[in-house]
Amino acid sequence: MIDAMGIGLIMPVMPGLITEVQGGSLAQAAVWGGVLSTVFAVMQFLFSPILGSLSDAVGRRPVLLVSLFVMALDYLIMALAGTMWLLLLGRVLGGITAATHSTAGAYIADISPAEKKAANFGLLGAAFGAGFVLGPLTGGLLGELGTRAPFYAAAVLVLANFALGWFVMGETVQDKNRRPFEWRRANPFGAFRAVARIPGIKPLLWVYFLYSVAIYVYPAI
């Protein structure tokens, strides 16, 4: 939920921040906003299977904690950015460090007995939805203090999540379920090929793709 809040917090102020950094009209800011959103999404696409495979090898805990710490630094970079290139770098780092949904999902799978898996994955989805509602609302209120305020708030939230994980979260990857890291499985195209071999899954992948396009077009606009 805190991760989703951190992403949503910055949405209300991005147009103003881009205009402040780049100058020009709101229409030009919208173009840059589209570029930044695309870069963020591409990084998530490329790094989600990498981080997921890495968590199979070294453990869920270090992957999640390192990602959270770097994400907090990323929000601070964006809070201080005075050029579009720094904002672009911030979105690259943000996309990489936010590509931990597969790792979080694997953690849920690790700790859930078979009869509770669906319910626990539902909780994960509900937490993301709640964060995405609360994030823009809070970001809009903080935006009254300036275009940089939501980024500092997002950094604080992510650091709070890091602290919670550091003290509460245990490791679930043991020798019995540890898998060596392989680039064959860690790149997104290799992951698609591996998943597509599961009988009956291709139609579900297409449905989920169209569903995702329909969902994410709204925050982009």
Side-chain angles (χ1 to χ4, degrees):
M1 186 176 75
I2 292 176
D3 276 356
M5 282 187 69
I7 296 168
L9 264 172
I10 68 174
M11 280 186 174
V13 296
M14 279 302 285
L17 179 62
I18 292 170
T19 305
E20 180 183 308
V21 170
Q22 178 75 3
S25 66
L26 191 60
Q28 290 170 317
V31 173
W32 269 108
V35 170
L36 294 176
S37 296
T38 301
V39 166
F40 185 89
V42 168
M43 291 301 104
Q44 280 196 310
F45 172 74
L46 293 176
F47 281 88
S48 187
I50 292 175
L51 294 184
S53 295
L54 197 61
S55 76
D56 286 339
V58 303
R60 319 287 185 217
R61 191 173 189 273
V63 169
L64 290 170
L65 290 180
V66 169
S67 295
L68 284 170
F69 186 76
V70 176
M71 185 184 288
L73 294 180
D74 169 57
Y75 282 127
L76 290 176
I77 289 172
M78 295 192 70
L80 299 170
T83 67
M84 284 305 304
W85 296 112
L86 267 179
L87 284 179
L88 194 61
L89 173 64
R91 288 291 77 188
V92 168
L93 288 175
I96 294 171
T97 55
T100 52
H101 294 166
S102 58
T103 306
Y107 194 98
I108 291 289
D110 291 343
I111 64 173
S112 303
E115 69 276 9
K116 291 185 178 179
K117 270 189 170 61
N120 287 347
F121 274 104
L123 286 174
L124 189 64
F128 186 85
F132 217 70
V133 170
L134 294 171
L137 176 64
T138 309
L141 294 172
L142 289 171
E144 297 296 318
L145 303 176
T147 55
R148 312 285 176 153
F151 291 93
Y152 289 113
V156 170
L157 277 174
V158 174
L159 283 175
N161 206 10
F162 172 83
L164 181 66
W166 181 273
F167 290 108
V168 173
M169 185 172 61
E171 182 54 71
T172 61
V173 174
Q174 310 298 331
D175 290 340
K176 62 181 180 181
N177 63 338
R178 191 183 305 276
R179 291 198 300 184
F181 182 86
E182 296 177 4
W183 280 110
R184 177 173 53 85
R185 289 187 298 105
N187 74 83
F189 304 103
F192 273 131
R193 282 195 297 271
V195 170
R197 293 193 190 102
I198 301 172
I201 200 109
K202 282 185 180 179
L204 287 176
L205 287 175
W206 280 110
V207 168
Y208 190 71
F209 171 75
L210 294 173
Y211 169 81
S212 298
V213 171
I215 289 293
Y216 288 108
V217 70
Y218 293 112
I221 291 172

